[in-house]
Amino acid sequence: MKILAAELAASVADPAGAPAQGLPEIAFLGRSNVGKSSLLNRLMARRQLARTSQTPGKTRLLHFYRVDRGDRGSCLLVDLPGYGWARVSRRERGRWRRMVEGYLQGRRPLRAVVLLHDLRRDPGPDEVDLLAWLDQRQIPALVALTKLDKLKAGPRARRVAALGGCLPVQADWIVPTSARTGAGVERLWELLDRLL
Ligand code: GTP
Ligand code: MG
C-alpha cells in the first residue's frame, strides 16, 4: 500500500469528541504492550508517529490518524488504549471500558476492528470476550498476531496453526505480523482495503 501522507488528526478521552470528517475508520485494539502503536507505524510507513513504549499503558487516549492512500482513498486508523495492564485500579479499568466500548458502539464510520494478539500467548477471556462482543454488534474483526520475529520459523508456524484453531475468527482473517520486519503488513492492508 502506498501511503502519501499520515498525520495525527485528534487525540481524545471522550469518544464524543472524535473527528467528524466522513472518512471510513479502522480501530486497533489489544492488550497493553501487544504492539498496537508499533504496527500502526508500520501500516502508516512512519517511524514514530504513534507513540510506542516499553511501559505498558502508554496509550490512554483514543488517537486518530488520518492516512492518505492516494487513489485508494483516505481513512482514519485509531489507536485505542490497551487493556489488561498490571497495577491499575478498578476505577481506571471502568474508565477504559466506558471509553472503548462507548467509542466502538457509537462510531458510525467504523468499518472493522483489528484485534492484536501476541503470537506467543494463548488467548484469554479478554480476547475471546472481545471478539464475541464485536460479533454481537456485527462489527467485523480481524486478528493480527504480533511479534512474529520473536520466534524461529518452526515454532512460529506451530503457534500460528494453534492460534488459528482457538480464535473464533475465520482463518484467512488471522494475519501474522511483525512491526520489526514489516512481515504481514501488506496482507493486512489488503484485507483492510476490502473493508474500507
Ligand atoms: P500500549 O500503548 O501500552 O497499549 O502498548 P502498544 O500495544 O501500543 O505497544 P507498543 O507498540 O508501544 O509496543 C510495546 C513494545 O513491544 C515496544 O517495546 C515495542 O518495541 C515492542 N514491539 C512491538 N511490536 C514488535 C514486533 O513486531 N517485534 C518485536 N520484537 N517487538 C515489538
Ligand atoms: Mg500504544
Side-chain angles (χ1 to χ4, degrees):
M1 185 65 59
K2 198 156 180 201
I3 307 298
L4 299 190
E7 60 178 4
L8 180 64
S11 298
V12 303
D14 180 354
Q21 299 173 333
L23 294 176
E25 191 164 300
I26 307 279
F28 292 75
L29 192 54
R31 183 172 287 275
S32 189
N33 220 39
V34 71
K36 292 176 296 297
S37 302
S38 304
L39 189 62
L40 274 164
N41 282 327
R42 267 289 178 178
L43 284 161
M44 299 189 289
R46 295 292 180 276
R47 239 164 209 289
Q48 269 290 19
L49 186 52
R51 293 275 301 278
T52 64
S53 135
Q54 274 151 15
T55 320
K58 180 86 195 166
T59 310
R60 295 213 179 176
L61 297 170
L62 313 171
H63 296 290
F64 294 79
Y65 296 93
R66 185 181 334 153
V67 178
D68 177 357
R69 305 176 305 146
D71 52 11
R72 313 236 52 142
S74 292
C75 63
L76 293 176
L77 302 182
V78 190
D79 193 359
L80 297 175
Y83 53 82
W85 63 85
R87 292 193 303 272
V88 300
S89 62
R90 174 175 298 204
R91 197 165 143 223
E92 186 81 11
R93 238 169 301 173
R95 199 181 77 89
W96 179 90
R97 257 195 116 81
R98 275 194 304 284
M99 178 157 77
V100 172
E101 291 188 356
Y103 160 77
L104 290 171
Q105 249 164 334
R107 190 65 179 159
R108 302 204 64 172
L110 183 67
R111 295 286 183 274
V113 167
V114 180
L115 175 67
L116 281 78
H117 179 73
D118 190 316
L119 180 69
R120 298 163 299 172
R121 292 178 66 116
D122 287 326
D126 282 336
E127 286 73 33
V128 174
D129 291 353
L130 254 167
L131 288 169
W133 190 92
L134 293 167
D135 189 50
Q136 271 165 24
R137 284 158 187 80
Q138 296 176 323
I139 301 172
L142 279 84
V143 174
L145 301 176
T146 62
K147 310 195 184 182
L148 196 60
D149 59 281
K150 295 253 193 191
L151 293 181
K152 295 208 172 89
R156 182 190 294 174
R158 282 195 291 279
R159 284 302 295 160
V160 172
L163 288 168
C166 64
L167 286 163
V169 175
Q170 64 183 81
D172 52 351
W173 278 33
I174 300 178
V175 187
T177 65
S178 166
R180 186 143 298 171
T181 68
V185 169
E186 268 312 302
R187 168 95 189 114
L188 192 54
W189 260 130
E190 265 169 45
L191 292 172
L192 295 179
D193 195 36
R194 284 189 228 161
L195 295 159
L196 279 165

